[in-house]
Amino acid sequence: MLLTQLVQHLCPHANVDVIGPYGGEAEVDLGEETRIARPGRDGLAWFVLYAFLESLHLLRTNDYDAIIGGSALVTPVVGILGRLFGLPVVVNAYGLDLIYPHTLYQWMVKAFLPRCSHVFAISKASKKEALRRGVSPDRTSIVHPGLDFSEFQMVPDTRRIRQEHGLDGRLVLLSVGRLAKRKGIPEFVEHCLPAIVRRYPDAVYLVVGGNPTDSLSHKEDIRGRVQRTISELQLEEHVRLLGRVERDVLVDLYHACDVFVLPAIPVTGDMEGFGIVLTEAAAAGKPAVSTKMGGITDAVVDGKSGTLVEAEKWDNFSEAVLTLLADKWMRREMGQFGRERVETQLDWPIVAERYARAVYDVLNKTD
């Protein structure tokens, strides 16, 4: 979805042709001039082969200024194509696509990524990982991912939303995202929620997102772990596992919550490259409590749009949440700061223009 929106908002700045994976978000309008090619079947190996062959065809029949790799995963494909056709190669890097713990994959990244014309990392943490793999500092820039602020522009009637979802009169905590181990959801329920509930018996924790079904690296039944912890601690009245919800419902839940939480923990071979859900919560005017890990420190301005604590310091995490729940003024001030930051710095049209300028700079340097 992030790449789809990037392409969508790049269209006013450039003519873009896309080779995407099987399936895709058909509901997103990329405009009549944007050609989208997709393989006819699913599977990573098939996609890589298809992407290479289709790219060969497009590059032979069209005039392009640059090749953009959607992630470090396709670096060999775009790197070889760039060399064959004498074009600058730009690659977007996130996190897991850089550090995926497989010997052959890591060899591939270290062999091809440093040869790219430029790498755009989504956070300081992602840039650090790119540098560790041999990319030159002067060929690496940070461009934070954007979001569609228009989704959050109008503040809805939160009283109505709370009534519809049975949240009226309750303090609401919210987490959003696929239930990857690094999100720390079971640990938060076990180590923090009991203390929060003791202080605020009306508190309820909403968890949006289910177990990943299409991930190469996330296979654990995290939802099952959370359910067992809820049962063991008798927290059934205080936790709701909502699974995947429609986008309009999710936006409503962002607006309806009091505090957003992302209790990320260190996991070998995985990382939080940025944490777009944190900026989505900020767009709804909600403060976040999270940890000082990976790109989270780019997504949350500590002390201004939320509070960051050391990972796995659960007493500190609980206290940070309790402090915000106790202080409506602090929640409002942090929420307002975060919302203004997103609107003025991270709205997709602003980010896409920044990205386009950066690509133009790369082109000028390689002329």
Side-chain angles (χ1 to χ4, degrees):
M1 187 63 176
L2 190 156
L3 278 172
T4 303
Q5 294 215 345
L6 174 60
V7 172
Q8 182 182 24
H9 289 90
L10 272 179
C11 288
H13 304 279
N15 294 324
V16 184
D17 291 332
V18 179
I19 298 176
Y22 174 80
E25 293 113 7
E27 74 278 4
V28 179
D29 181 15
L30 297 180
E32 295 181 0
E33 296 184 1
T34 300
R35 291 173 292 186
I36 306 175
R38 300 185 187 277
R41 65 178 73 171
D42 201 3
L44 178 60
W46 179 253
F47 167 70
V48 171
L49 177 62
Y50 174 85
F52 184 76
L53 295 176
E54 184 65 18
S55 296
L56 280 176
H57 169 70
L58 290 174
L59 287 162
R60 285 170 175 163
T61 56
N62 298 276
D63 185 20
Y64 295 101
D65 296 305
I67 301 172
I68 298 177
S71 78
L73 175 66
V74 298
T75 301
V77 174
V78 295
I80 293 171
L81 291 169
R83 182 66 62 89
L84 287 175
F85 290 89
L87 290 174
V89 173
V90 172
V91 173
N92 300 324
Y94 305 94
L96 181 57
D97 61 327
L98 290 169
I99 70 168
Y100 184 67
H102 187 281
T103 302
L104 180 59
Y105 183 83
Q106 284 299 311
W107 173 86
M108 176 197 76
V109 171
K110 292 175 183 177
F112 286 93
L113 198 64
R115 300 179 183 178
C116 294
S117 305
H118 208 82
V119 175
F120 291 121
I122 64 170
S123 66
K124 292 189 292 290
S126 297
K127 178 178 178 178
K128 181 178 179 180
E129 293 298 336
L131 296 178
R132 289 181 59 192
R133 283 152 182 83
V135 181
S136 173
D138 61 358
R139 291 190 178 189
T140 315
S141 302
I142 297 173
V143 179
H144 297 317
L147 57 72
D148 185 358
F149 187 74
S150 66
E151 287 187 294
F152 300 88
Q153 186 95 45
M154 186 179 68
V155 179
D157 182 354
T158 55
R159 291 174 300 179
R160 173 189 59 79
I161 296 171
R162 281 171 168 261
Q163 288 174 353
E164 289 178 356
H165 292 279
L167 305 172
D168 208 16
R170 306 192 71 170
L171 288 170
V172 180
L173 307 177
L174 174 67
S175 288
V176 176
R178 296 190 306 171
L179 298 180
K181 185 177 180 180
R182 71 171 186 270
K183 304 291 184 180
I185 304 300
E187 291 80 4
F188 175 77
V189 172
E190 177 181 359
H191 299 294
C192 297
L193 199 57
I196 293 169
V197 167
R198 281 195 296 272
R199 183 87 61 89
Y200 295 102
D202 61 344
V204 59
Y205 179 40
L206 309 182
V207 181
V208 175
N211 287 326
T213 58
D214 57 352
S215 173
L216 294 175
S217 57
H218 305 132
K219 301 296 184 183
E220 290 188 72
D221 179 18
I222 300 298
R223 182 184 177 93
R225 281 186 57 196
V226 176
Q227 288 173 324
R228 289 191 294 273
T229 303
I230 292 170
S231 178
E232 291 169 1
L233 299 178
Q234 299 181 333
L235 292 170
E236 290 86 353
E237 296 300 315
H238 300 280
V239 185
R240 297 184 192 173
L241 302 180
L242 303 180
R244 296 175 177 86
V245 302
E246 295 297 325
R247 184 64 184 178
D248 59 336
V249 175
L250 176 58
V251 173
D252 279 351
L253 292 175
Y254 276 123
H255 283 290
C257 78
D258 293 292
V259 177
F260 186 86
V261 296
L262 177 55
I265 61 174
V267 174
T268 302
D270 201 358
M271 68 177 288
E272 194 72 47
F274 183 74
I276 192 68
V277 294
L278 294 161
T279 53
E280 289 184 337
K286 304 301 175 177
V289 177
S290 192
T291 57
K292 298 176 181 178
M293 288 191 55
I296 291 173
T297 56
D298 291 45
V300 176
V301 182
D302 191 17
K304 292 187 175 181
S305 67
T307 303
L308 299 179
V309 301
E310 296 296 331
E312 298 183 309
K313 300 293 185 181
W314 298 114
D315 287 346
N316 296 345
F317 201 100
S318 300
E319 191 57 38
V321 173
L322 288 168
T323 297
L324 280 172
L325 290 178
D327 194 332
K328 184 181 292 187
W329 179 86
M330 181 183 293
R331 297 202 303 268
R332 185 181 298 115
E333 289 292 304
M334 284 187 168
Q336 182 177 343
F337 177 92
R339 182 175 168 87
E340 291 176 355
R341 175 180 180 243
V342 171
E343 183 178 15
T344 59
Q345 299 180 35
L346 298 176
D347 194 14
W348 261 124
I350 297 170
V351 172
E353 182 178 355
R354 187 183 304 139
Y355 186 94
R357 287 201 307 268
V359 173
Y360 292 147
D361 288 342
V362 173
L363 296 180
N364 290 334
K365 290 177 182 178
T366 55
D367 284 343

